[in-house]
Amino acid sequence: MRAGTGADSGSWTEDPYTEALGLGRGPLYLRGHGGWSLTLDVERWCAVADAADMTVLDRCQGTVLDIGCGPGRLVAALGEYGHPSLGIDINAAAVSRTVLRGGRALRRSVFEPLPPPGAWDTALLVDGNVGIGGDPALLLRRVAHLVRPDGLLLVEVAGEDVDERLQVWMENARGTTGTPFPWARLGLAALHRVARVSGWSPVDSWSKDARDFAALRRD
């Protein structure tokens, strides 16, 4: 979970998210109404790609677009794998960290013009980024326009069977909060439902180290 749409970019360009990236650690929380809360794994985002990440990278094909690249651990690892890749994120600190790690990155929303449209072999929505914008169907239709025909989308899903649309905000241990923004959380079954009406066919799913993933193929 890292980047949102241009409309909610304030939540991702101000503290506490930017501060946590600068420190390379949390605690950082995603909060919602009614006591809803999710602890964000900033330390993992800022580290090198781990064993669960590698199960995603092993499935990548050709050129790779990492949507919401955060501090760039996957973009950096893709370079080591020999995959031409680009990370996009609306947070300037995240883009800077990605570039410092030797990756290519743009400060850009997934809903803004991106190079080259319709030509990416693989797209990534890892770390909960299927929630970007709070409308997974809209997001998946957008990604379908970015990848080539028969292109691949690799998605990290929630471990539980959830299908949530939320208004959330960032909060650190001091209680500093960011601007609310729309988000979504999908488990595997919910992702498959959304995928089938958004131009994608499920082709694989797997788990590693308590993280869950799915592969979709563009129709």
Side-chain angles (χ1 to χ4, degrees):
M1 173 187 311
R2 289 152 291 180
T5 68
D8 55 66
S9 61
S11 309
W12 295 88
T13 57
E14 302 167 356
D15 289 335
Y17 177 65
T18 298
E19 179 184 49
L21 286 189
L23 294 172
R25 56 180 171 80
L28 183 67
Y29 309 98
L30 199 65
R31 306 287 199 197
H33 298 289
W36 188 94
S37 181
L38 185 69
T39 301
L40 302 179
D41 201 348
V42 179
E43 289 85 351
R44 179 170 60 79
W45 297 349
C46 293
V48 298
D50 62 16
D53 295 326
M54 290 302 178
T55 67
V56 176
L57 302 183
D58 285 340
R59 289 168 167 82
C60 288
Q61 300 171 357
T63 57
V64 183
L65 178 66
D66 185 6
I67 300 167
C69 65
R73 76 184 191 282
L74 298 183
V75 176
L78 283 164
E80 296 174 4
Y81 266 61
H83 286 285
S85 61
L86 175 69
I88 60 169
D89 202 295
I90 63 171
N91 183 276
V95 170
S96 295
R97 286 184 68 113
T98 301
V99 173
L100 285 172
R101 296 173 88 152
R104 292 176 58 234
L106 292 176
R107 188 180 182 188
R108 197 76 55 86
S109 164
V110 66
F111 296 104
E112 295 177 315
L114 289 167
W120 294 97
D121 297 304
T122 305
L124 305 181
L125 288 169
V126 182
D127 299 330
N129 281 336
V130 71
I132 287 172
D135 186 341
L138 177 65
L139 176 61
L140 264 59
R141 287 194 294 270
R142 169 58 176 157
V143 178
H145 287 289
L146 296 174
V147 302
R148 62 171 174 79
D150 202 39
L152 189 64
L153 174 59
L154 304 177
V155 184
E156 184 168 358
V157 295
E160 61 268 38
D161 186 15
V162 296
D163 187 354
E164 299 178 311
R165 308 294 185 272
L166 306 159
Q167 193 78 4
V168 297
W169 57 90
M170 295 286 186
E171 185 174 323
N172 61 23
R174 302 190 307 275
T176 304
T177 61
T179 306
F181 59 96
W183 199 255
R185 290 185 74 234
L186 300 182
L188 182 62
L191 175 68
H192 285 177
R193 288 194 298 270
V194 173
R196 291 188 178 100
V197 299
S198 305
W200 299 91
S201 295
V203 293
D204 194 12
S205 62
W206 70 98
S207 299
K208 177 67 175 177
D209 296 339
R211 294 170 62 193
D212 296 274
F213 305 92
L216 309 174
R217 184 74 67 179
R218 181 182 162 190
D219 293 338

